């Protein structure tokens, strides 16, 4: 009989506030923060420091790399490391759209002003424009040679005046920056690059365009920010006149150099962002500081220029008085130079925010766009995400309206609120679980946190040393932590305080702690080549309080000297043996009562870093830095099996109580379950995005907990779903095959017919397993429908030729009979179920024989006016893709003529519907504007008009 197991499924992830691979943005109200948290997105209430919602997709395992806010106030675009983009809705916390087109991690996302077009840039050097409403990719822009670092939409003056969602994808411009040191200006109407800036000497790390579209700021690795001006008139001129040719285009430059401003930081720029009001510019650097620049008003710039010219004239007069010879032409050049306004005159350093760790991203509060309200508020808020798993909101004071910076006497930026308590600042290196499996303790550098294993909430936060190992003491009221400094620190959980510190290993690291099975003491091993035994003692607390209470303490009873550093210790559950792992790659086994030597286990090529003993005290499992796991028998010390368990060093091994199953964790980001009897791998648990450092297993294996280098703590729970090893191996092989197939599909597309190899514009789609499966479903539907139509055609033919036989109708396909639809409707429903973003790539899978069959169904859909929009999209794509084959097929001529006739009628009906609805909406808009707009008049003017009318009147008197 085939042995079955129970499957473990991921249950929860906690301990992550903000991952260093992604950014954080404000919501439109400025109350919440939308923050990247590994493969999820967390919505934080910044002032309360609580989690409001968590966005995740069950189909996604990649990390979040980029988040962008839509102008509509509810949609957020989230880019991932696998190149996919998902659009989440803040109102219902669900994913609405999934877009796949990039072949590398998404590094830049930007919405246009209407919120209907999304531009994305990635490590694959491509820029893709997406139709958010239609959920499809519009086109791909190619020209950069390295990762895209920034994207910004720029609208010309005429385009801005007539901006609408209908023409958003074909109006305006895009500015992009890349690590290839280039900044490019793209024309969305012509879909090509119209200008390239080549003056940067190093990678361009940041890009920002002012809200009025006048200034462009770029940041590199040098100490200066480069400022450029955007000429709207030239943008409009090139859009209106496309017939000037290449000669005139070379002289056309819409982006001109404005100057540079010096930064206070010496490290590279991480991010640049303008305030919504356009008065401030924030520069995020890689050296723990955020520099804020202020834009001077016109009057301030005028005064500054006047002072500069005055100093220049005084200096020139002094030189002439000294009798120095100067050329008049040089004086004229100096006057012209002093009269020119540069970027340093307009942008000046304002405030500097000093952060506690390296910042990852910043964002301004979008609700503070009003300059007057910002001045009355007294400060602007900046959200800063740091790479130490924390989120801070700073307040930067600004001068009130009508006052300058000197007159306002502003203070320094202050920290308003932060989200820090729900995660470690550094990676947790140790885990411990309480005896009732209700609490989980995680220890990291300078912090010890106790979590509720069911809810994932943080119960206690304590300060500790550089923790390496930890364990709950009997009763679950105390925790002992072993530190890198060689101390044992005893903590009282209910009181949330440090009870006592013991110098256990003379200043060297305490690598391992294990509570003895008799629950009367513990064993510790350290780098001082000693194994020390400690007993639990209850002593009276002399804290000076009126009520005396007894507390726990540790008493050192004996020491076992070893020949090398002790890396791990473990007592057998029957209290008979003690296993000690040494730095010399061996494991020594001693009798626990007499400490006499019993066994020496050798075979690992590198030191054993973790070991565990089964509950029946018969098996010992060791995990080593040589990537292997070995199983040993404790009766004779023989090695039962050596398993190459991981692709990287093994960090932890743990048995499940009552069984010979054990779990292993390694630096290859995996946790794996094994059967210690037949030495087979049962299951592979994925999800961690960094090295797995620690592992804890519940008493009977109901769930397991793992801590990773990505600062996350993950829980996998045992389910009732059966698992068979053969099926699991088949599933893993299928996944491996699918990954290989995706890699073969995921290659740059050859140039289309009529397009050159270096064409800047290409199709936005990308072939994936989803598109391949969708294409196979369409082919299957076409085969079923063709077979059904063929059977009924044969039946009608036989009925017409031999009516006297009265033949029986053919059997209907079970699928069509169950759905109660015709073959034509079945094919249409199958095409409709394909995701809009995957439709074109799914149609590419069809061979030409199925294309001919699909054209017949398109004719039927057009005749019946079924989903005209989808019919047109499928038809146009098929004609564009298979144009040569269709033209060469003479039998298609009559069918194409029929499609043209039927489709024109259907499109005409749709055009009438759209025109009628647009006219109705315009009428409603005009009616609303008429009712909602109030007109104000000057009373003096009105009174003057009334007085003039009274003077013109003539009064006549009547006499009796």
């Amino acid at each position: 009989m085939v042995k079955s197991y129970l499957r473990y499924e991921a249950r929860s992830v906690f301990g992550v506030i903000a991952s260093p691979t992604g950014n954080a943005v404000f919501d439109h109200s400025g109350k919440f923060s939308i923050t990247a948290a590994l493969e999820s997105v967390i919505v934080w209430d910044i002032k309360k420091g609580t989690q409001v919602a968590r966005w995740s997709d069950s189909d996604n395992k990649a990390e979040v790399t980029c988040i962008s806010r839509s102008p509509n106030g509810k949609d957020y675009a989230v880019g991932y490391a696998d190149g996919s983009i998902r659009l989440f809705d803040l109102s219902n916390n669900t994913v609405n759209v999934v877009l796949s087109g990039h072949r590398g991690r998404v590094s830049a996302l930007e919405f246009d002003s209407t919120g209907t077009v999304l531009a994305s840039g990635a490590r694959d050097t491509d820029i893709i424009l997406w139709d958010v409403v239609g959920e499809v990719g519009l086109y791909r822009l190619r020209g950069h040679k390295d990762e895209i670092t920034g994207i910004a939409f720029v609208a010309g003056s005429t385009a801005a005046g007539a901006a609408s969602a209908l023409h958003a994808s074909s109006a305006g411009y895009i500015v992009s920056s890349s690590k290839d040191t280039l900044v490019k200006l793209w024309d969305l109407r012509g879909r090509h690059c119209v200008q390239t800036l080549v003056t940067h000497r190093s990678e361009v790390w940041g890009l920002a365009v002012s809200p009025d579209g006048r200034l462009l700021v770029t940041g590199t690795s040098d100490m200066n920010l480069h400022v450029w001006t955007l000429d709207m008139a030239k943008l409009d001129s090139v859009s209106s006149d496309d017939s000037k040719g290449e000669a005139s285009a070379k002289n056309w430059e819409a982006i001109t150099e404005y100057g540079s401003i010096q930064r206070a930081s010496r490290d590279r720029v991480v991010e640049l962002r303008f305030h919504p009001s356009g008065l401030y510019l924030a520069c995020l650097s890689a050296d723990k500081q955020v520099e804020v620049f202020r834009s001077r008003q016109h009057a301030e710039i005028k005064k500054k220029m006047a002072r500069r010219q005055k100093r220049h004239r005084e200096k020139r007069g002094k030189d002439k008085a000294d009798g120095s010879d100067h050329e008049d032409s040089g004086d004229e050049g100096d006057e012209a130079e002093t009269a020119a306004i540069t970027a340093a005159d307009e942008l000046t350093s304002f405030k500097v925010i000093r952060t506690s760790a390296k910042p990852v991203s910043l964002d301004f509060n979008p609700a503070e766009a009003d300059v007057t309200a910002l001045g009355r508020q007294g400060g602007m808020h900046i959200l800063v995400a740091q790479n130490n798993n924390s989120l801070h909101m700073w307040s930067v004071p600004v001068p009130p309206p009508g006052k300058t910076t000197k007159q306002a006497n502003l203070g320094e930026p202050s920290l308003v609120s932060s989200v820090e308590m729900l995660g470690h600042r550094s990676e947790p290196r140790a885990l411990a679980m309480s005896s009732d499996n209700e609490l989980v303790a995680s220890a990291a550098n300078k912090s010890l946190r106790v979590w509720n294993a069911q809810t994932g909430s943080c119960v206690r936060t304590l300060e500790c040393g550089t923790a390496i190992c930890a364990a709950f003491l009997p009763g679950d009221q105390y925790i002992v932590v072993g530190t890198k400094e060689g101390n044992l620190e005893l903590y009282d959980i209910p009181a949330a305080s440090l009870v006592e510190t013991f110098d256990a290993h003379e200043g060297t690291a305490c690598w391992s702690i294990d509570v003895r099975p008799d629950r009367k003491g513990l064993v510790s091993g350290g780098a001082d080549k000693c194994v020390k035994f400690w007993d639990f003692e209850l002593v009276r607390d002399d804290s000076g309080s009126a009520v005396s209470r007894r507390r726990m303490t540790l008493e050192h009873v004996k020491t076992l000297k070893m020949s090398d550093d002790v890396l791990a210790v473990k007592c057998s559950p029957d209290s008979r043996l003690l296993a000690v792992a040494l730095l010399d790659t061996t494991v020594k086994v001693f009798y626990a009562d007499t400490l006499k030597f019993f066994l020496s286990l050798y075979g690992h090529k590198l030191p054993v870093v973790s070991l565990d003993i089964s509950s029946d005290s018969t098996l010992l499992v060791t995990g080593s830095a040589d990537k292997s796991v070995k199983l040993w028998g404790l009766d004779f010390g023989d090695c039962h099996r050596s398993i190459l368990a991981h692709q990287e060093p093994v960090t932890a091994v743990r048995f499940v109580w009552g069984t010979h199953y054990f779990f292993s964790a390694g630096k290859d980001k995996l946790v794996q379950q094994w059967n210690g009897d037949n030495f087979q791998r049962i299951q592979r648990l994925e999800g961690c995005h960094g090295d797995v450092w620690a592992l804890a297993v519940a008493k009977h294996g109901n769930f397991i907990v793992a801590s990773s280098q990505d600062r996350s703590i993950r829980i996998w729970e045992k389910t009732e779903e059966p698992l068979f090893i053969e099926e699991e191996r088949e599933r893993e092989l299928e996944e491996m095959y699918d990954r290989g197939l995706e890699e073969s599909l995921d290659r740059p597309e050859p140039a289309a017919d009529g397009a050159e190899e270096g064409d800047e514009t290409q199709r936005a789609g990308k072939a994936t397993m989803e598109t391949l499966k969708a294409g196979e479903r369409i082919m299957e539907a076409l085969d079923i429908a063709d077979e059904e139509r063929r059977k009924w055609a044969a039946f009608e033919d036989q009925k017409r030729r031999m009516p006297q036989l009265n033949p029986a109708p053919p059997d209907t396909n079970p699928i069509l009979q169950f759905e109660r639809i015709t073959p034509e409707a079945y094919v249409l429903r199958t095409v409709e179920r394909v995701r809009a973003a995957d439709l074109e790539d799914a149609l590419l899978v069809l061979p030409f024989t199925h294309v001919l069959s699909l054209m017949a169904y398109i004719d039927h859909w057009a005749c019946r006016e079924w989903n005209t929009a989808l019919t047109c999209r499928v038809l146009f794509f098929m004609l564009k893709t298979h144009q040569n084959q269709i033209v060469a097929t003479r039998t298609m001529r009559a069918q194409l003529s029929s499609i043209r006739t039927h489709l024109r009628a259907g499109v005409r009906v749709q055009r009438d519907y759209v025109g009628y609805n647009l006219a109705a909406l315009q009428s409603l808009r005009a009616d609303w504007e008429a009712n909602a707009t109030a007109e104000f008049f000057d009373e003096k003017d009105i009174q003057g008009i009334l007085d003039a009318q009274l003077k013109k009147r003539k009064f006549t008197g009547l006499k009796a």
Side-chain angles (χ1 to χ4, degrees):
M1 183 177 177
V2 180
K3 184 174 179 57
S4 64
Y5 305 88
L6 294 180
R7 185 181 297 276
Y8 282 83
E9 295 287 349
R11 188 183 76 185
S12 60
V13 182
F14 52 88
V16 180
I17 299 174
S19 56
T21 58
N23 63 323
V25 298
F26 273 112
D27 75 322
H28 282 74
S29 65
K31 297 179 182 179
F32 303 133
S33 167
I34 317 298
T35 310
L38 300 180
E39 73 274 10
S40 303
V41 177
I42 299 180
V43 182
W44 295 101
D45 188 326
I46 308 173
K47 292 185 178 180
K48 296 181 181 178
T50 57
Q51 178 179 320
V52 178
R54 178 184 285 267
W55 300 344
S56 60
D57 191 351
S58 58
D59 298 333
N60 171 64
K61 295 181 181 179
E63 286 187 272
V64 175
T65 58
C66 191
I67 302 176
S68 180
R69 180 178 57 246
S70 173
N72 63 12
K74 64 175 185 176
D75 290 335
Y76 291 82
V78 181
Y80 294 85
D82 61 355
S84 62
I85 301 171
R86 288 169 173 83
L87 266 64
F88 288 89
D89 191 340
L90 181 61
S91 58
N92 53 22
N93 300 319
T94 57
V95 57
N96 293 336
V97 184
V98 180
L99 305 172
S100 298
H102 287 292
R103 298 173 175 85
R105 64 183 294 272
V106 179
S107 55
L109 288 172
E110 187 71 21
F111 281 95
D112 73 329
S113 58
T114 64
T116 59
V117 177
L118 173 68
S120 62
R123 181 173 287 177
D124 60 2
T125 73
D126 293 343
I127 300 172
I128 299 180
L129 267 76
W130 306 91
D131 183 358
V132 176
V133 179
E135 304 179 5
V136 296
L138 298 174
Y139 48 87
R140 184 191 305 264
L141 299 175
R142 287 184 170 176
H144 286 289
K145 302 300 182 184
D146 208 335
E147 179 179 348
I148 307 296
T149 57
I151 296 176
F153 278 90
V154 178
S157 58
T158 58
S164 66
L166 294 176
H167 307 286
S169 61
S170 60
Y173 295 82
I174 280 182
V175 181
S176 64
S177 62
S178 171
K179 289 184 180 179
D180 59 2
T181 74
L182 301 179
V183 175
K184 289 179 175 289
L185 177 65
W186 304 85
D187 183 6
L188 298 186
R189 182 182 177 185
R191 300 182 182 182
H192 65 282
C193 177
V194 295
Q195 187 177 354
T196 302
L197 305 180
V198 296
T199 58
H200 300 94
R201 298 299 181 91
S202 59
E203 297 93 338
V204 182
W205 292 100
L207 175 143
V209 176
S210 59
D212 58 0
R214 190 177 63 87
L215 294 181
L216 167 66
V217 183
T218 57
T220 60
S221 301
D222 55 17
M223 292 185 61
N224 294 326
L225 293 179
H226 302 270
V227 186
W228 314 77
T229 58
L230 293 166
D231 193 339
M232 296 296 178
K234 289 185 177 180
L235 290 177
D236 297 335
S237 65
V238 76
S239 297
S240 59
D241 188 5
D242 294 334
S243 60
K244 292 184 178 181
E246 296 184 0
S248 60
K250 291 181 179 180
N251 299 324
W252 177 88
E253 289 185 355
I255 303 178
T256 56
E257 190 171 1
Y258 192 36
S260 62
I261 52 178
Q262 191 170 4
R263 299 188 294 124
S265 171
R266 293 182 178 272
D267 286 350
R268 72 171 182 87
V269 172
V270 176
E271 188 177 359
L272 290 170
R273 192 172 292 272
F274 269 99
H275 190 267
S277 64
L279 299 180
Y280 301 95
L281 170 69
C283 174
L284 189 68
S285 302
D287 61 348
K288 301 183 182 181
Q289 68 178 7
V290 179
E291 190 171 2
V292 181
F293 297 88
R294 184 178 64 87
S295 177
R296 290 191 177 100
Q297 300 297 326
H298 182 69
E300 294 182 68
I301 297 175
K302 195 173 181 181
K303 289 181 181 179
K304 183 177 177 61
M305 296 297 298
R307 289 196 300 268
R308 181 193 299 173
Q309 292 178 1
K310 182 179 178 181
R311 289 195 302 268
H312 181 71
R313 286 194 299 267
E314 291 176 354
K315 181 181 178 181
R316 189 175 58 182
K318 183 177 179 182
D319 292 342
K320 287 183 178 180
D322 293 341
S324 58
D325 297 331
H326 291 283
E327 301 257 346
D328 291 341
S329 60
D331 294 342
E332 292 175 0
D334 291 343
E335 289 180 0
E337 184 178 352
T338 55
I341 300 177
T342 62
D345 298 328
E346 184 171 352
L347 294 173
T348 179
S349 182
F350 180 54
K351 297 290 182 182
V352 176
I353 300 174
R354 307 287 181 181
T355 59
S356 58
K358 286 187 177 182
V360 176
S361 67
L362 67 87
D363 191 30
F364 285 106
N365 190 345
E368 299 173 348
D370 188 4
V371 180
T372 306
L374 182 65
R376 287 197 302 266
Q377 183 178 335
M380 58 181 175
H381 292 93
I382 299 178
L383 179 69
V384 179
Q386 300 182 166
N387 68 347
N388 65 344
N389 198 28
S390 63
L391 201 63
H392 293 174
M393 184 171 71
W394 295 81
S395 177
V396 179
V398 298
K403 288 189 177 181
T404 62
T405 306
K406 293 182 179 180
Q407 294 173 348
N409 193 16
L410 302 175
E412 292 298 319
S414 59
L415 182 63
V416 177
S417 58
S418 62
V419 183
E420 291 183 335
M421 299 303 294
L422 299 178
H424 288 283
R425 303 285 76 76
S426 59
E427 53 199 54
R429 302 297 292 263
L431 284 178
M433 191 175 296
S434 61
S435 58
D436 57 0
N437 299 331
E438 292 293 330
L439 299 178
V440 175
S442 61
N445 184 19
K446 308 300 182 184
S447 68
L448 169 67
R449 299 181 190 274
V450 182
W451 310 84
N452 187 319
Q454 301 300 322
T455 62
S457 58
C458 185
V459 180
R460 290 286 186 273
T461 300
L462 303 166
E463 291 187 2
C464 67
T466 307
I468 298 178
C469 52
F472 275 93
L473 300 189
D476 299 331
Q477 300 295 311
Y478 293 88
I479 294 179
V480 62
V481 176
T483 66
K484 194 175 182 180
E485 293 80 15
N487 299 327
L488 289 179
E489 299 178 351
L490 185 62
Y491 292 91
D492 187 348
I493 300 176
S497 61
L498 174 64
V499 176
E500 198 170 352
T501 300
F502 306 92
D503 186 7
H505 293 279
E506 300 176 356
T508 59
C510 176
W511 290 112
S512 181
I513 295 175
D514 187 43
V515 179
R516 300 206 304 263
D518 58 5
R519 303 171 66 85
K520 295 181 180 179
L522 59 85
V523 183
S524 66
D528 59 349
K529 305 179 182 180
C530 292
V531 178
K532 295 191 176 183
F533 296 80
W534 307 78
D535 283 349
F536 301 142
E537 297 289 341
L538 289 176
V539 298
R540 193 166 300 280
D541 189 3
D542 299 331
S543 58
S545 59
V547 180
S548 81
R549 56 188 296 267
R550 304 180 73 182
R551 65 172 178 83
M552 184 176 288
T553 186
L554 301 178
E555 182 180 356
H556 180 221
V557 290
K558 54 185 175 181
T559 301
L560 176 63
K561 290 284 188 179
M562 304 302 297
S563 60
D564 214 331
D565 294 2
V566 178
L567 300 182
V569 293
K570 184 66 180 180
C571 298
S572 63
D574 59 0
S575 301
R576 190 174 65 93
L577 301 174
L578 171 68
V580 181
L582 301 179
L583 190 62
D584 60 3
T585 73
T586 63
V587 176
K588 308 291 185 183
V589 183
F590 300 87
Y591 289 104
D593 50 357
T594 61
L595 299 184
K596 287 186 177 180
F597 176 75
F598 175 47
L599 295 171
S600 179
L601 310 178
Y602 55 90
H604 283 289
K605 297 178 181 179
L606 291 174
V608 173
V609 295
S610 179
L611 55 84
D612 197 13
I613 300 176
S614 61
S615 57
D616 57 1
S617 302
T618 59
L619 287 180
L620 171 69
V621 61
T622 57
S624 170
D626 61 4
K627 310 176 187 178
S628 68
V629 169
K630 292 183 184 294
L631 283 162
W632 312 81
L634 287 179
D635 44 3
F636 302 107
D638 56 325
C639 181
H640 289 183
R641 182 63 64 93
S642 178
I643 306 170
L644 183 61
H646 293 267
Q647 300 299 320
E648 297 292 337
V650 179
T651 55
V653 287
R654 291 290 181 271
F655 268 109
V656 178
W657 184 267
T659 68
H660 285 175
Y661 305 154
F662 66 92
F663 289 90
S664 66
K667 291 187 177 182
D668 56 357
K669 309 176 185 179
L670 292 178
V671 177
Q672 301 185 93
Q673 184 186 12
W674 304 83
N675 189 336
D677 293 328
N678 56 18
F679 319 115
Q680 289 183 328
R681 186 179 72 230
I682 301 173
Q683 189 178 0
R684 175 185 296 170
L685 304 177
E686 300 176 343
C688 295
H689 298 278
D691 303 347
V692 183
W693 287 115
L695 199 62
V697 182
K699 183 68 174 178
H700 297 287
N702 294 330
F703 63 91
I704 63 171
V705 187
S707 65
S708 174
Q709 188 181 16
D710 56 15
R711 299 182 180 88
S712 68
I713 300 173
R714 296 177 184 269
I715 295 181
W716 288 272
E717 188 175 28
K718 185 193 292 184
T719 63
E720 297 299 325
E721 180 184 355
L723 182 148
F724 300 94
I725 293 182
E726 291 78 8
E727 294 181 358
E728 192 70 10
R729 295 293 89 77
E730 290 178 2
R731 186 182 63 84
E732 291 177 1
L733 289 175
E734 288 178 0
E735 290 180 355
M736 187 183 303
Y737 172 75
D738 291 345
R739 284 196 298 268
L741 187 59
E742 281 191 358
E743 291 176 359
S744 64
L745 293 174
D746 190 13
R747 59 178 182 269
E749 300 177 2
D753 295 338
E756 297 180 1
E757 190 68 26
D759 197 357
E760 293 180 342
T761 306
Q762 292 190 6
R763 195 173 58 84
K766 171 186 148 183
T768 61
M769 285 303 302
E770 293 296 327
T771 61
L772 186 61
K773 292 178 181 178
E776 291 176 350
R777 289 195 297 269
I778 295 176
M779 284 192 290
E780 183 181 356
L782 288 172
D783 292 338
I784 293 174
D786 288 344
E787 181 64 25
E788 191 69 17
R789 293 180 67 180
R790 195 178 300 112
K791 288 191 301 184
W792 280 97
F795 168 71
E796 293 294 340
D797 182 61
Q798 185 180 8
K799 186 177 178 182
R800 188 184 69 256
R801 287 190 294 106
M802 292 178 290
Q804 65 277 8
L805 294 180
N806 193 14
D811 295 334
T812 308
N813 188 282
I815 298 177
L816 301 179
Q817 191 173 8
F818 176 77
E819 297 287 346
R820 295 183 179 180
I821 55 177
T822 62
E824 296 82 3
Y826 176 65
V827 175
L828 178 60
R829 194 197 63 179
T830 305
V831 175
E832 287 176 340
R833 288 182 175 179
V834 178
R835 207 165 54 191
D838 298 339
L839 181 58
E840 293 185 356
D841 291 282
L843 293 175
L844 285 176
V845 179
L846 303 181
F848 189 67
T849 55
H850 286 78
V851 171
L852 297 178
S853 177
L854 183 60
M855 296 295 285
Y857 293 103
I858 290 176
D859 188 14
H860 186 86
W861 302 342
C863 180
R864 296 292 185 90
E865 296 183 5
W866 289 349
N867 201 341
T868 305
L870 180 63
T871 302
C872 292
R873 184 184 173 195
V874 173
L875 174 64
F876 297 156
F877 180 76
M878 302 306 291
L879 291 176
K880 182 174 64 175
T881 306
H882 304 280
Q883 180 184 3
N884 295 335
Q885 294 90 333
I886 291 175
V887 170
T889 306
R890 301 182 62 182
T891 56
M892 290 289 298
R893 187 173 302 173
Q895 194 174 68
L896 290 175
S897 178
S898 176
I899 292 175
R900 180 181 61 180
T901 303
H902 295 151
L903 198 60
R904 282 185 175 179
V907 171
R908 192 177 298 111
V909 173
Q910 294 296 321
R911 183 193 62 185
D912 295 340
Y913 284 159
V914 173
Y916 181 82
N917 291 332
L918 284 177
L921 290 175
Q922 291 173 359
S923 177
L924 290 174
R925 177 182 178 182
D927 190 19
W928 178 85
E929 289 179 349
N931 294 330
T933 304
E935 296 182 357
F936 296 94
F937 301 96
D938 192 354
E939 293 184 358
K940 292 183 178 181
D941 295 341
I942 295 175
Q943 190 64 36
I945 295 173
L946 294 176
D947 293 343
Q949 292 177 352
L950 289 174
K951 289 181 180 179
K952 293 179 181 179
R953 290 183 181 180
K954 295 181 180 179
F955 297 93
T956 58
L958 298 176
K959 293 182 179 179

